[in-house]
Amino acid sequence: MEKYVYLTLFAPLAGSLFAAMFGMSKKNLITGIVTSALLFVSLFSSLMLLGYVDEEHIVKVNLFDWISAGNFDVSFGFIADQVSVIMMVTVTTVSALVHVYSIGYMDHDEGFNRFFSYLSAFVFSMLVLVMSDNFLGLFIGWEGVGLCSWLLIGFWYYKKDLPREIYPAISPSWAANEAFIMNRIADLGMLIGLFLIYWNVGSLNYDVVFKNIPNVDISIVVLIGIFLFIGAMGKSAQFPLHTWLADAMEGPTPVSALIHAATMVTAGVYLVVRANEVFSLIPNVGMFIASLGAFVAVFAATMALVNNDLKKIIAYSTLSQLGYMFVAAGLGAYWVALFHLMTHAFFKSLLFLGAGNVMHAMNDELNIKKMGGLYSKMKWTAILMIIASLALAGIYPFAGFFSKDKILEVAFSEHAYILWFMLWIGAGLTAFYSFRLIMLVFFGEERYKRFGFHPHEAYAFMLWAMAPLGVLAVISGFFEHSFKEYVTAILPDYEAHIEPHIVGYVLIALTLTMALSGILFAVYKYSRGGFSKKWEETWIYKLLFNQYYIPQLYEKFITKPYAELSKIAWKDIDLKIVDSTVDFIATTLYDAGDKSRVIQSGNLSKMLRWMAIGLIVLLIAAII
Amino acid sequence: MITLTHYMVLSGILFSIGMLGVIRRKNLLMLFFSTEIMLNAVNLGFVAVSKYIGDLSGQMFAFFIIAVAASEVAVGLGLLVLWYKRKQTIDLDSLQSMKG
């Protein structure tokens, strides 16, 4: 079975290197085909592992010893246990389909080969992240996906910078840097967490760490939990490090689907799930994680309500769904978090790929106010996106219903009624903005005609690439029981206890009602032309539309002062102190040389005189 | 009675004269004379001390110095003649082709 582990892991790397050979040359279809084929190899072998791994069969491979210094011993080891296999299958499924889709989406792009090289490199890093059997390997993958995310957000790096008033994300390269820097801030937290683990346990291997962590002083465990979660907050874009995710939509849409919806941003959730032995020791930190998650779930959903940018709406909904996952993980229902992670990956990437089709049809226009009535032109895209939106809203029998409802049940049975209420509100908001998007894009007046667009359906094979995700978005919820049995072999079992039984059904009904009323309200409102102009004048609309003014606040209170500080450090400290010291030494030497140059007159009699003086000096020195 | 001290003083005086010549003179020929004086001042010292302590190696050394000095003068004078033929002068200050 080891060969499948290697195949899963290294097939994307091989594809990436292959595509990289054509990196600088013109579009070559073979890069897209080879990388996609290798991704299917990877998918196939992870499915083989999925079938093989059970309680007795956990595949561990040790590639080679990596660092061995004193007591510190880390090897390049990989593990395929239930949790990582689930992640591997999710990652490879979504990325294989996104690869195929990208062949069509990037059809006319100059950087076709470069794109596939980056995309496969991303998959490789993500697989290193989820398959590593120690925290250091996870960290390497963690940084690897960060790097690939930076490369792909800034894929169209040549676009010009614009002021924030005109264009909220400024430019792709700006957005890429923002994402990278925010993640570095969080990664510092994660690194401190890893150092603390090593100091207190003496190893970074999962097995050793989790076996010894109960013996560690509880205050240290709290610190470890907090710092690891700070790392997770950055990658999963939780408040207050969330602004990068919306700006990351500057990247090509398949990238948003793969990295900024389905896989990379869920790495934070994966970390919390993977380190469940640590987090289950410290329920207070777990409660904090859950509260933050619930806050983000509502906070991000409200921003999605009024945004007019097709991709940003979906990005905020990703944020909000990540909040749901953290609620489950924080409350100790790790398998529920993992389950929602998986179903979310399927329907959210589907939603993004659909958005990509719409963008293609509309010549990269993103303002949904300029669309409308596209259903007649792009029927299949519309159907797939409606399926994804129903799944996102949590309507029975779509996948989102099972996982999201489970999270609400968890919140209720933990007596966290406030969290439950927030999530319940969030469910309604989710349903509303999803269908606001659907209504504005696919139904109603055909506003695009006024702007002179000629929409057309995407290539058939792109739709075929989306179809499996559509199927999964519908059916993956029904695997709930087998999923639970599978992963609880290593994750703590969790069963929501709601007494009496009838309350549970009432809760489900309440949630469904909330979601349905959100949908119906959106359909009702936007089939009649939407809200009046007066609504856009209110302060609450402006507050939401400007993302609570958080990007502006960051710019004013962090970025600008930091830039000022850097300027002072540059002009006053560096130029005036450091540089002048160095220059002083150099000029002194130079002047001394200039002054003593006259000694070298080349005149023999003068030299003889100097020689005599030297002799006398030496004689005197010898005598004394 | 002439003692070792007399010899050493004479050697010192001769050396100083030679050195003064090296420093002061501009004529290359005079420079050679001055160096010869210095060398022979040292020879005098060697021989005197050798006689005083009854060890012949000092006198042997003096012979070596005379031989080396003779060959050096031969080479030096040869060069000097060439120089004179080229420049029509043997002034020390004219020997200045490298100036810092």
Side-chain angles (χ1 to χ4, degrees), chain A residues 600-603 605 609 612, chain B residues 23 26 92-93 96 98-100:
Chain A
Q600 294 279 47
S601 62
N603 189 315
S605 59
R609 249 171 254 169
Chain B
I23 293 171
K26 294 283 181 186
L92 197 55
D93 290 338
Q96 189 176 12
M98 290 204 298
K99 194 175 187 314

Side-chain angles (χ1 to χ4, degrees), chain A residues 313-327:
Chain A
I313 295 172
I314 314 180
Y316 287 128
S317 97
T318 306
L319 264 183
S320 161
Q321 298 305 311
L322 288 167
Y324 277 88
M325 293 175 211
F326 275 118
V327 172

Side-chain angles (χ1 to χ4, degrees), chain A residues 487-509:
Chain A
V487 294
T488 47
I490 55 167
L491 288 180
D493 195 2
Y494 187 95
E495 193 59 62
H497 292 293
I498 299 175
E499 293 297 334
H501 254 313
I502 189 75
V503 180
Y505 291 114
V506 170
L507 288 181
I508 293 175

Side-chain angles (χ1 to χ4, degrees), chain A residues 123-323:
Chain A
V123 180
F124 172 68
S125 312
M126 188 71 202
L127 287 170
V128 170
L129 197 163
V130 299
M131 291 168 71
S132 172
D133 73 347
N134 57 64
F135 280 106
L136 207 58
L138 178 136
F139 189 69
I140 294 295
W142 192 271
E143 294 301 311
V145 291
L147 169 72
C148 294
S149 154
W150 177 79
L151 287 168
L152 285 162
I153 298 171
F155 189 73
W156 291 313
Y157 55 86
Y158 39 77
K159 284 191 187 166
K160 274 211 182 69
D161 280 2
L162 294 170
R164 194 186 284 282
E165 288 72 40
I166 300 172
Y167 190 60
I170 298 182
S171 78
S173 57
W174 191 90
N177 288 342
E178 184 194 16
F180 201 71
I181 292 164
M182 283 239 181
N183 274 303
R184 287 296 77 64
I185 297 169
D187 289 350
L188 180 65
M190 170 132 174
L191 266 182
I192 295 173
L194 297 191
F195 291 153
L196 282 173
I197 289 176
Y198 176 67
W199 275 334
N200 291 289
V201 179
S203 171
L204 286 173
N205 259 346
Y206 291 151
D207 291 345
V208 184
V209 172
F210 296 148
K211 207 165 75 192
N212 293 321
I213 200 86
N215 309 328
V216 175
D217 187 37
I218 195 72
S219 59
I220 301 281
V221 182
V222 169
L223 276 181
I224 291 173
I226 289 172
F227 281 119
L228 285 184
F229 182 61
I230 289 175
M233 271 163 72
K235 213 35 104 209
S236 293
Q238 295 296 290
F239 182 83
L241 298 172
H242 63 281
T243 53
W244 70 267
L245 186 59
D247 289 337
M249 296 301 126
E250 288 312 307
T253 310
V255 173
S256 310
L258 177 59
I259 302 184
H260 305 117
T263 52
M264 185 187 83
V265 288
T266 59
V269 182
Y270 169 76
L271 177 68
V272 175
V273 171
R274 178 54 89 185
N276 64 76
E277 269 97 337
V278 177
F279 285 100
S280 51
L281 290 174
I282 39 175
N284 292 341
V285 177
M287 196 62 210
F288 168 74
I289 294 174
S291 313
L292 187 74
F295 167 68
V296 172
V298 177
F299 166 78
T302 52
M303 291 193 282
L305 291 179
V306 297
N307 211 303
N308 286 331
D309 187 307
L310 176 62
K311 281 174 76 182
K312 284 204 173 153
I313 295 172
I314 314 180
Y316 287 128
S317 97
T318 306
L319 264 183
S320 161
Q321 298 305 311
L322 288 167

Side-chain angles (χ1 to χ4, degrees), chain A residues 9 106 249 373 396 482 575 608 615:
Chain A
L9 186 61
M106 301 303 283
M249 296 301 126
Y396 187 84
S482 44
L575 284 185
L608 285 170
L615 180 72

